[in-house]
């Protein structure tokens, strides 16, 4: 069961003035985590919590005596340059710290002077991938995406028969996951034109983005054990943004029979911030399955799932080309989607992943899969937006794109809001394409 508590109160305001701006991603109701250090310093990376345009340096706040002594074991895990240890503590520890952070950052709090000295401006820091990601599993949970992509290859039979029964996924590569703000070279690989006899080694010509939600595992499970559906979210720390860059031409040649390989492993981009599952409580939605579709097997179905298994999380893709940058033009939004389009819930992904006894570990990352909605302006990859590269999308200032060009910067954004709860955001996951080496 999901319960609201005092940290979700929409009326709360913070003594950090920028947190009360209605447009901020980081009001006092959010309180997401990152790993940061001040720019240009050789100091250690450590954990921080966002508030408005500032970061609470948790190590400094602990040393300044802002929190009760009983929180010391929890706070010491946040001295580390990755969140894994904190993630492994489980939801009671996360929730206790959230409550104390909320109280310390509220208007009228006790130790404002001490905590104010522990704030660092977000504009003055570098971030790091927030967890040591041991394993990365990429799912495929938007039925719109699966159908759109399937149509390109199998017009008569776009959706394979397992799709409506199994949360489809594959094991990805974690070593090339990087935090927002990086650049990467266009990958090279084997390409084979449909009419060619042999493949060639060449730079990818069909470079694409994938708009995904990143799901970070908190407390893991023992090898040989399975996680039941209604306990599944106890094992999830929080959500971030994930761009699962894809080389479609490399993918098309290599993917059968074992799935994507080098077409995905050259780069993935995550947002610095992880928004906790507790912060997302006010934005949960019913999960449903159309009556005409197969209903989930019993291990993937429950009352709680139906009641609140989905997350109403708005997702956006923005592109800024090199020409736009040269003219000082801002990035342009090219798609608007929502995580509530997911055919499978977070809990179903976790439960299915462990039903064979597979052990998840703190800091593991799941990708939701490209989160496309039903409309032309809600597709999460260029492969879909351009019908496989046949119909270019037009950018507002006159450029066209079928796939990405060198110099393009792609930025994912996300936020939640509704009538009863304030807007909370996810920051951004942004990276730029450089020419092939
Ligand atoms: Mn993907």
């Amino acid at each position: 069961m999901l319960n609201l508590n005092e940290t979700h109160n929409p009326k709360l305001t913070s003594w950090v003035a920028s947190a009360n701006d209605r447009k901020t991603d980081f009001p006092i109701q959010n309180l997401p985590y990152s790993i940061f250090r001040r720019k240009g310093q050789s100091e250690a990376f450590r954990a921080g919590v966002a508030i408005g345009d500032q970061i609470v340096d948790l190590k400094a706040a602990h040393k300044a005596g802002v929190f009760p002594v009983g929180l010391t074991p929890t706070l010491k895990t946040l001295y580390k340059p990755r969140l894994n240890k904190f993630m492994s503590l489980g939801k009671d520890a996360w929730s206790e710290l959230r409550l104390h952070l909320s109280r310390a950052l509220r208007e009228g709090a006790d130790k404002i002077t001490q905590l104010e000295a522990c704030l660092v401006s977000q504009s003055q820091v570098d971030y790091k991938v927030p967890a040591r990601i041991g394993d990365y599993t990429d799912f495929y949970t938007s039925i719109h995406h699966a159908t759109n992509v399937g149509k390109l290859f199998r017009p008569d039979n776009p959706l394979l028969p397992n799709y409506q029964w199994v949360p489809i996924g594959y094991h990805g590569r974690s070593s090339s996951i990087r935090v927002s703000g990086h650049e990467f070279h266009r990958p090279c690989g084997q390409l084979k034109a449909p009419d060619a006899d042999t493949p060639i080694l060449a730079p990818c010509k069909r470079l694409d983005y994938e708009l995904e939600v990143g799901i970070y595992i908190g407390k893991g499970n023992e090898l040989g054990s399975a996680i039941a559906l209604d306990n599944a979210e106890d094992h999830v720390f929080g959500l971030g943004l994930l761009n699962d860059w894809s080389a479609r031409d490399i993918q098309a040649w290599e993917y059968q029979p074992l799935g994507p390989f080098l077409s995905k492993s050259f780069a993935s981009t995550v947002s610095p911030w992880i928004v906790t599952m507790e912060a997302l409580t006010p934005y949960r939605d019913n999960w449903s399955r159309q009556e005409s579709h197969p209903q989930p097997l019993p291990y993937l179905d429950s009352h709680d799932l139906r009641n609140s298994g989905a997350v109403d999380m708005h997702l956006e893709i923005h592109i800024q080309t090199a020409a736009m940058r040269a003219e000082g033009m801002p990035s342009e939004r090219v798609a608007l989607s929502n995580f509530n389009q997911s055919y499978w819930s977070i809990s179903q992904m976790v439960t299915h992943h462990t039903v064979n006894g597979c052990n998840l570990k703190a800091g593991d990352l799941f990708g939701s899969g490209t989160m496309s909605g039903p409309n032309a302006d809600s597709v999460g990859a260029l492969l879909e937006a351009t019908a496989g590269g046949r119909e270019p999308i037009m950018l507002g200032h006159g450029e066209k794109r079928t796939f990405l060009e060198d110099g393009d910067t792609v930025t994912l954004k996300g936020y939640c809001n509704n009538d009863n709860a304030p807007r909370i955001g996810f920051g951004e996951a942004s990276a730029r394409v450089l020419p092939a080496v």
Side-chain angles (χ1 to χ4, degrees), residues 136 138-139 170 210 212 244 246 264 369-370:
Y136 164 41
D138 197 26
F139 283 91
Y170 72 97
E210 289 193 336
E212 302 200 20
D244 186 33
S246 298
K264 304 279 186 169
T370 305

Side-chain angles (χ1 to χ4, degrees), residues 50-275:
I51 182 77
D53 59 10
Q54 302 290 307
I55 300 174
V56 180
D57 180 334
L58 292 166
K59 180 178 179 180
H62 180 224
K63 293 201 159 171
V66 172
F67 299 110
V69 175
L71 283 178
T72 293
T74 297
L75 285 159
K76 285 221 162 154
T77 66
L78 294 158
Y79 288 23
K80 295 178 184 292
R82 302 286 196 179
L83 290 172
N84 297 64
K85 184 72 186 163
F86 178 60
M87 294 165 129
S88 74
L89 296 178
K91 65 171 187 171
D92 291 347
W94 310 330
S95 189
E96 186 182 28
L97 182 56
R98 174 178 165 85
L99 177 63
H100 285 284
L101 276 165
S102 172
R103 287 178 178 170
L105 287 164
R106 278 175 211 175
E107 206 106 53
D110 277 347
K111 296 179 179 167
I112 292 179
T113 316
Q114 292 95 315
L115 191 50
E116 203 167 20
C118 306
L119 297 181
V120 181
S121 170
Q122 286 164 25
S123 64
Q124 288 166 19
V125 307
D126 289 324
Y127 297 104
K128 188 166 161 172
V129 176
R132 189 180 58 256
I133 298 168
D135 280 300
Y136 164 41
T137 304
D138 197 26
F139 283 91
Y140 194 54
T141 66
S142 161
I143 196 169
H144 304 293
H145 175 69
T147 306
N148 291 339
V149 171
K151 265 183 201 156
L152 297 173
F153 299 104
R154 299 175 301 275
D156 303 331
N157 179 28
L159 207 59
L160 293 171
N162 56 1
Y163 189 86
Q164 293 174 311
W165 295 98
V166 180
I168 299 290
Y170 72 97
H171 289 107
R173 182 140 193 103
S174 57
S175 64
S176 51
I177 298 174
R178 298 175 67 185
V179 77
S180 183
H182 71 97
E183 301 173 324
F184 66 96
H185 293 280
R186 176 180 297 275
C188 291
Q190 280 201 21
L191 316 180
K192 185 182 166 301
D195 51 358
D197 292 334
T198 56
I200 55 168
L201 177 67
C204 154
K205 293 184 182 62
R206 292 162 68 94
L207 183 63
D208 202 353
Y209 49 75
E210 289 193 336
L211 170 63
E212 302 200 20
V213 176
I215 300 156
Y216 288 90
I217 297 301
K219 210 174 166 62
N221 62 304
E222 293 294 324
L223 180 61
S225 72
I227 298 174
L229 192 72
D230 282 345
N231 299 331
E233 288 196 13
D234 293 352
H235 295 265
V236 179
F237 177 69
L239 307 184
L241 301 165
L242 168 66
N243 187 343
D244 186 33
W245 304 93
S246 298
R248 300 300 181 192
D249 37 9
I250 299 173
Q251 185 176 359
W253 171 233
E254 75 176 4
Y255 88 104
Q256 286 179 320
L258 288 185
F261 183 33
L262 303 184
S263 55
K264 304 279 186 169
S265 58
F266 57 93
S268 307
T269 307
V270 293
S271 54
W273 297 103
I274 305 178
V275 175

Side-chain angles (χ1 to χ4, degrees), residues 140-152 158-159 163 290 293 337-343 370-376 378-380 384:
Y140 194 54
T141 66
S142 161
I143 196 169
H144 304 293
H145 175 69
T147 306
N148 291 339
V149 171
K151 265 183 201 156
L152 297 173
L159 207 59
Y163 189 86
Q290 273 179 267
H293 289 208
S337 186
N338 196 304
F339 189 29
N340 64 13
Q341 295 293 334
S342 188
Y343 197 74
T370 305
M371 201 41 57
S372 296
N375 307 315
S378 63
V379 293
E384 295 171 72

